Amino acid sequence: MRHLLTVLRHRHSGNNFYLIQRAYYKPQKTQPPPAPPSPPKPPKKPTKVSLHGETWEDNYGWMSQLNDKVAMRHMDVYMEQEEKYAEAVMSDTERLQSKLQSEMASRFPFELSTPPVRWGPWLYYRRAEEGKQYPVLCRRLASLHEEFISHKSASAGFDFTSGKRIEQKLLDYNQEAERFGGYAYEELSEVSPDHRYLAYTMYDKDNDYFKLSVRDLNFGSLCNKPQAECVSNVAWAKHGQALLYVVTNQDKRPYRIYCSMIGTNEDDILLHEEPEENVYVNIRHTKDFQFVAVNTFSTTYSKVFLINAADPLSGMTLVWECEAKAHCIVEHHQGYLYLFTDAAKAGQLVDNHYLLRSLVKSPPGPRRWENVFVEGQGLIIEDVDFSNSHVVLILRNDRKLQLCSVSLPLPVGKGSFYLKDVNPQFLSLPTHVSQISPGPNYDFSSSTMRFTISSPVMADATVDYNLSNGKWNIVQQQNLLQERTRVLYGSASTGSLGENFTVSRNSDLDQVNADNDQTWNELIEYYACEYHGVPSHDGVVVPLTIVYSRHRKKESQSPGLLHGHGAYGEILDKRWRSELKSLLDRGWVLAYADVRGGGGYGRKWHQDGQRTKKMNSINDYINCAKFLVGSKIVEENKLCGWGQSAGGLLVAAAMNSCPDLFRAAVLKVPFLDPTHTLMSPILPLLAVDYEEFGYPGDIEDFQAIRAYSPYDNIRKGVLYPSVMVTSSFNTRFGVWEAAKWAALVREYSVYDPKRPVMLNLTTDIVEENRYLHCKEAALEAAFLLKMTDLEE
């Protein structure tokens, strides 16, 4: 019984007095908290699977039987239950999600237009239109309006001074969405060299292929041909009068090359076909449009042919071949072919790419290719790009990326030479660079090239590099300090910055001019970026990058999120992502483990995480996680994992090995059931998928797959971390993989309502739909905050 003292003031006969009244009341009983939601339990229908003398049961294999109507009805019910369960688990975070979504949306750059790309007389760009989901591809003559202003307003295609419309709409992707069932995803788009036609492929979701269309830019109408299906590559020839394209078979293998004469009624001509099931074809035109290069490759060989673009029906000429699969890019400059490749030399595999050169008109006998640069001195060429006047090299020296240009033509008749002997120009780059991406650089005759510079502590900077005078202009970079976008377009607005981006001519690769760092709009004053080398299980040192707020991080008390991928030789995405700022500003540490199997450290680094060596990737990730906790960078029991696609496999396999190491994990469209997917693919897989994860028909590969497979190695009687698995019905790794894995983890592991395993089904999010991006990112962040007891 509690006492309530109520003071009453009374007036009586002109005298004031106070009466203290004691009131008694019986408080209401406190309502108990609602019971935690129970996860759904799909039916178990065990089926036996056998291979290489091994037999096992799959309780949830029925989920992938797409042709079984009964199974699919059960799947529909189960998916609905999963959606309701996920909503119930996250229901107490609705206010937090709303707050996070508002934060993230406010940081998105408000850009109504992409930076214009100048090609010949035209400026090409994409811009948004008010109230529409998809952008519009446009162009305008640079001579009519040198100062590009389309980002200022939606009606900026109109010149109010002259009263004329100066913009030409080339392709409205909102209209394309109407053609393709409300969904617009473009895979390829190529403008013809005469700027008359646009060839592009759009994804047909209902038929699961890319459809080719050609649009006449003079009239805005679709050409009656070609309108091919299942197209994977295109290349222009005959100065825009002919289009070459590659089609795929029912297994999505590119195997045929056709030539279509634009503006005629002639049937498309089959130029080449590869009947062998393990041989793949792709094409690309050289930047000067004089040749079309045809690459044919398998696991045992690679070949490069040339087609004369002026006469595409004249046949293919073999110019290069090697044993084993190799990456080959051919360019042409003033009578010389340049080949950028990682092919083996004298039967010995090489770890990195190199640049070769050969005369187009080769003397009789075997074609002779010579190395352009002398190797050694830590010179590793990551990428190259050509213009008529320069070749630009993206270089790597250990972890340090560099960018330089060399004047063309290169010396001839003297064999290979050192890079320092051809007077390279180097750019002063930001403090921390994670990736340099060239392009789009369509204009071969231009003296300006475009690159995107990425960093963990700087928003992506799109820069134009004037090769003739060595000056740089930032054409687009979000100013995160002011929560707005700094967009610099045209000569008038960038002239004042020209001197800030001068480069030095230097023969020493390590001595690069570094004046005026502030022009890069970095965040290093507020966010720290550190690099660590973490010894793995076999002594190999794994690069680990960590980012944290200088003002919010607490020693030994910070939660952490460890990203990983480790497949296909792809570079781990360590770019600044504005949505992750919400975690950084709440004291989180973001970490990126460059495990084996990924890219950026040579071919061997990739191969040491493939097939029978896939466990290296997983052990690398685990050791990086242990390092973060053991070094007290991240608080124990507050480390979370994050992986997408093949990265989801990495994180899930790490949880099987060390479930107590992680508090939570986010797995986005993950690859979780490699055994059954590789044995009996429901969606067509490519040779590169088997090269990456293993061939089940090979007993050693099969045993390795079974050993690392997340679905096949879920531990019984163990408490697993909280997991949010995000998937949809239109992902490359089907939703059944995520559903099977979630069901089996719940069946085998110790149940704890505070450690939910839930399946979050998403819609198909296109890149331009920022609302849905923010919504999904806010849900993920709210999940991580909730599961680490850091809700606000």
Side-chain angles (χ1 to χ4, degrees):
M1 190 75 70
R2 297 179 60 191
H3 302 285
L4 177 63
L5 298 179
T6 306
V7 180
L8 302 176
R9 187 171 185 230
H10 292 263
R11 292 182 182 272
H12 180 68
S13 303
N15 297 320
N16 295 336
F17 67 93
Y18 293 92
L19 173 66
I20 301 178
Q21 177 179 333
R22 174 169 291 176
Y24 296 88
Y25 77 101
K26 187 177 182 180
Q28 295 181 348
K29 291 183 178 180
T30 305
Q31 295 295 324
S38 298
K41 293 183 178 180
K44 293 192 293 185
K45 303 177 183 179
T47 56
K48 287 190 176 181
V49 186
S50 298
L51 188 64
H52 295 300
E54 187 176 338
T55 300
W56 65 96
E57 283 191 342
D58 183 2
N59 288 339
Y60 301 104
W62 62 267
M63 294 184 183
S64 61
Q65 295 173 7
L66 304 186
N67 295 323
D68 186 330
K69 293 182 179 180
V70 174
M72 289 303 97
R73 281 198 294 270
H74 287 168
M75 191 66 168
D76 288 340
V77 172
Y78 175 44
M79 290 297 97
E80 186 175 343
Q81 292 172 345
E82 287 285 4
E83 285 188 280
K84 290 180 179 179
Y85 175 64
E87 289 173 2
V89 169
M90 298 300 295
S91 62
D92 60 345
T93 68
E94 288 180 358
R95 291 183 63 185
L96 175 60
Q97 289 182 55
S98 180
K99 181 180 180 180
L100 289 165
Q101 189 173 348
S102 296
E103 288 178 13
M104 295 172 183
S106 69
R107 298 190 197 108
F108 267 110
F110 187 69
E111 300 157 2
L112 290 176
S113 172
T114 60
V117 176
R118 185 162 186 167
W119 181 12
W122 295 98
L123 293 171
Y124 289 89
Y125 53 95
R126 283 180 168 87
R127 67 172 178 83
E129 291 192 321
E130 187 175 355
K132 294 186 178 180
Q133 181 177 3
Y134 296 98
V136 180
L137 176 64
C138 304
R139 73 179 178 187
R140 66 178 64 193
L141 285 169
S143 59
L144 293 180
H145 210 291
E146 183 68 27
E147 294 181 25
F148 184 82
I149 60 170
S150 265
H151 66 288
K152 292 184 178 178
S153 72
S155 60
F158 189 81
D159 183 359
F160 293 98
T161 303
S162 64
K164 297 180 179 179
R165 179 162 294 279
I166 58 175
E167 176 183 86
Q168 181 185 1
K169 286 186 181 180
L170 306 181
L171 188 60
D172 187 336
Y173 293 97
N174 298 285
Q175 295 177 3
E176 292 299 310
E178 295 177 6
R179 289 179 62 204
F180 292 95
Y183 182 77
Y185 177 74
E186 178 187 78
E187 178 75 2
L188 304 167
S189 62
E190 293 284 348
V191 176
S192 62
D194 61 355
H195 303 275
R196 170 72 185 273
Y197 298 103
L198 171 68
Y200 61 102
T201 60
M202 300 296 298
Y203 182 61
D204 188 326
K205 185 167 59 173
D206 293 336
N207 296 298
D208 190 28
Y209 58 59
F210 287 93
K211 184 174 181 179
L212 172 66
S213 299
V214 176
R215 192 170 291 274
D216 189 327
L217 301 183
N218 285 355
F219 301 99
S221 57
L222 284 172
C223 299
N224 61 350
K225 62 179 287 288
Q227 293 192 27
E229 299 168 349
C230 306
V231 173
S232 62
N233 275 120
V234 297
W236 286 103
K238 295 193 71 172
H239 201 61
Q241 298 176 38
L243 180 69
L244 278 60
Y245 61 91
V246 177
V247 299
T248 62
N249 64 6
Q250 67 274 11
D251 295 324
K252 298 189 182 298
R253 179 178 69 90
Y255 76 120
R256 286 179 177 172
I257 305 174
Y258 287 91
C259 177
S260 179
M261 296 299 176
I262 307 298
T264 72
N265 293 322
E266 300 175 14
D267 292 338
D268 294 351
I269 300 169
L270 177 63
L271 299 184
H272 181 73
E273 180 176 1
E274 285 290 346
E276 297 295 328
E277 284 302 314
N278 64 338
V279 180
Y280 297 75
V281 178
N282 66 33
I283 60 175
R284 64 181 296 273
H285 58 74
T286 56
K287 291 188 70 175
D288 61 2
F289 287 99
Q290 292 198 30
F291 298 97
V292 173
V294 178
N295 289 60
T296 63
F297 57 92
S298 70
T299 57
T300 57
Y301 73 85
S302 296
K303 295 180 181 180
V304 180
F305 300 85
L306 283 188
I307 295 176
N308 183 354
D311 186 8
L313 304 183
S314 61
M316 305 192 313
T317 302
L318 179 66
V319 295
W320 163 266
E321 62 180 325
C322 69
E323 295 182 357
K325 180 182 175 183
H327 178 238
C328 305
I329 298 292
V330 173
E331 278 299 345
H332 172 254
H333 183 268
Q334 296 183 9
Y336 280 90
L337 297 176
Y338 287 88
L339 179 69
F340 186 59
T341 184
D342 61 355
K345 292 183 176 180
Q348 298 295 316
L349 293 177
V350 298
D351 205 26
N352 299 287
H353 286 73
Y354 53 93
L355 190 62
L356 298 175
R357 178 171 61 177
S358 177
L359 281 167
V360 174
K361 296 181 178 179
S362 180
R367 177 175 290 274
R368 182 174 177 270
W369 291 88
E370 63 178 10
N371 274 297
V372 174
F373 297 112
V374 176
E375 298 179 16
Q377 296 185 335
L379 173 65
I380 295 173
I381 305 175
E382 291 288 325
D383 206 349
V384 298
D385 203 351
F386 280 83
S387 74
N388 191 44
S389 59
H390 291 79
V391 57
V392 176
L393 309 174
I394 298 173
L395 307 173
R396 177 169 59 84
N397 190 348
D398 193 21
R399 292 184 179 179
K400 185 177 181 181
L401 288 172
Q402 296 174 303
L403 185 61
C404 75
S405 66
V406 177
S407 296
L408 293 175
L410 295 174
V412 296
K414 298 181 180 180
S416 304
F417 45 83
Y418 290 98
L419 177 59
K420 63 181 181 180
D421 294 336
V422 288
N423 202 17
Q425 291 188 105
F426 283 85
L427 166 69
S428 173
L429 295 174
T431 310
H432 304 281
V433 178
S434 60
Q435 195 168 352
I436 303 173
S437 306
N441 295 311
Y442 298 117
D443 199 339
F444 187 66
S445 62
S446 174
S447 61
T448 298
M449 276 195 186
R450 177 165 293 176
F451 297 89
T452 298
I453 312 297
S454 300
S455 164
V457 286
M458 181 190 79
D460 280 3
T462 302
V463 293
D464 279 351
Y465 180 24
N466 190 317
L467 305 175
S468 60
N469 60 24
K471 292 185 178 181
W472 287 77
N473 288 328
I474 297 181
V475 294
Q476 190 175 70
Q477 184 184 27
Q478 185 184 4
N479 190 331
L480 294 160
L481 300 180
Q482 300 179 22
E483 298 291 352
R484 64 178 178 83
T485 304
R486 178 177 69 170
V487 186
L488 307 175
Y489 288 125
S491 58
S493 57
T494 57
S496 61
L497 284 177
E499 294 183 1
N500 291 335
F501 293 90
T502 56
V503 294
S504 63
R505 292 185 176 273
N506 205 310
S507 59
D508 187 343
L509 298 185
D510 294 322
Q511 295 180 9
V512 182
N513 187 12
D515 55 317
N516 202 344
D517 289 341
Q518 296 181 3
T519 54
W520 287 105
N521 202 7
E522 291 183 271
L523 302 170
I524 53 178
E525 182 181 349
Y526 304 94
Y527 302 100
C529 182
E530 297 178 359
Y531 302 98
H532 300 270
V534 179
S536 193
H537 65 290
D538 54 0
V540 172
V541 177
V542 181
L544 178 68
T545 304
I546 66 170
V547 180
Y548 57 88
S549 169
R550 296 185 185 275
H551 309 295
R552 299 284 183 175
K553 180 179 181 295
K554 295 181 181 180
E555 191 67 30
S556 304
Q557 298 179 29
S558 296
L561 185 63
L562 180 59
H563 294 74
H565 188 257
Y568 298 106
E570 294 177 358
I571 295 175
L572 179 64
D573 186 2
K574 298 188 285 289
R575 297 174 299 167
W576 173 269
R577 288 165 52 195
S578 60
E579 63 268 29
L580 291 179
K581 186 175 185 293
S582 292
L583 292 179
L584 286 171
D585 291 347
R586 286 169 171 81
W588 283 64
V589 172
L590 304 182
Y592 302 88
D594 277 302
V595 303
R596 280 171 284 186
Y601 298 93
R603 173 185 282 191
K604 188 175 186 301
W605 190 262
H606 173 207
Q607 292 178 335
D608 282 349
Q610 285 182 300
R611 296 175 66 174
T612 58
K613 299 179 180 179
K614 178 55 68 178
M615 281 303 301
N616 284 337
S617 304
I618 298 159
N619 286 319
D620 291 351
Y621 185 82
I622 290 170
N623 280 278
C624 286
K626 290 179 176 178
F627 173 83
L628 290 170
V629 175
S631 302
K632 298 185 177 180
I633 297 171
V634 172
E635 182 178 354
E636 188 175 5
N637 199 36
K638 288 194 176 176
L639 176 63
C640 304
W642 194 95
Q644 183 169 4
S645 190
L649 180 151
L650 177 76
V651 178
M655 288 192 297
N656 283 342
S657 296
C658 302
D660 58 342
L661 184 57
F662 301 92
R663 184 65 182 83
V666 174
L667 310 179
K668 293 180 71 69
V669 292
F671 185 28
L672 297 173
D673 188 17
T675 301
H676 302 102
T677 296
L678 294 169
M679 283 177 58
S680 305
I682 297 166
L683 300 176
L685 298 178
L686 302 177
V688 66
D689 299 311
Y690 290 100
E691 279 295 298
E692 191 63 37
F693 299 105
Y695 294 85
D698 182 290
I699 188 168
E700 291 186 3
D701 280 7
F702 169 74
Q703 291 170 347
I705 295 166
R706 291 280 289 164
Y708 71 71
S709 167
Y711 183 68
D712 293 318
N713 292 280
I714 297 169
R715 294 168 64 176
K716 295 183 178 181
V718 171
L719 179 63
Y720 265 69
S722 309
V723 185
M724 175 182 283
V725 191
T726 298
S727 190
S728 81
F729 285 96
N730 292 296
T731 60
R732 187 158 169 265
F733 300 120
V735 69
W736 51 86
E737 290 205 12
K740 290 174 64 176
W741 184 86
L744 198 61
V745 169
R746 294 181 191 134
E747 179 185 342
Y748 282 180
S749 65
V750 173
Y751 174 68
D752 182 348
K754 294 183 179 180
R755 298 280 186 102
V757 174
M758 58 184 183
L759 178 57
N760 174 40
L761 295 174
T762 67
T763 56
D764 293 315
I765 301 177
V766 296
E767 185 176 351
E768 293 81 5
N769 197 324
R770 296 178 177 182
Y771 169 77
L772 288 179
H773 273 294
C774 285
K775 186 178 180 180
E776 288 300 318
L779 178 64
E780 288 179 21
F783 167 76
L784 293 170
L785 290 166
K786 174 182 172 71
M787 297 308 158
T788 50
D789 303 318
L790 295 169
E791 290 182 87
E792 298 175 1

